[in-house]
Amino acid sequence: MTGFAAATYMRGVRWLCLPTTLLAMVDASVGGKTGVDLQSAKNAVGAFWQPSAVLCDIDLLQPSRSAGS
């Protein structure tokens, strides 16, 4: 949603991507396609707009420890 907003507002503004899952990190590193899901179709509205940077924090990929463990 943020990427699509950045691509369409004033014909494009800079944005940073901060993915938090492994899939999102891989997708963001080669992506640029920003889409919005509608009720009738997935990614029906979208744009191609590369982020200015993709910041991947691999510490987010570590399993969290619950208080009971």
Side-chain angles (χ1 to χ4, degrees):
M1 186 65 156
T2 303
F4 179 72
T8 55
Y9 180 70
M10 295 178 56
R11 296 188 184 178
V13 294
R14 292 178 53 157
W15 69 290
L16 300 175
C17 186
L18 305 166
T20 58
T21 65
L22 180 60
L23 178 61
M25 289 177 188
V26 172
D27 192 37
S29 69
V30 296
K33 185 180 123 199
T34 61
V36 179
D37 295 343
L38 301 177
Q39 287 181 343
S40 59
K42 184 176 180 181
N43 290 326
V45 177
F48 288 94
W49 191 252
Q50 297 290 339
S52 299
V54 177
L55 304 175
C56 297
D57 184 0
I58 59 172
D59 289 335
L60 293 172
L61 301 178
Q62 301 298 323
S64 61
R65 295 189 177 172
S66 64
S69 297

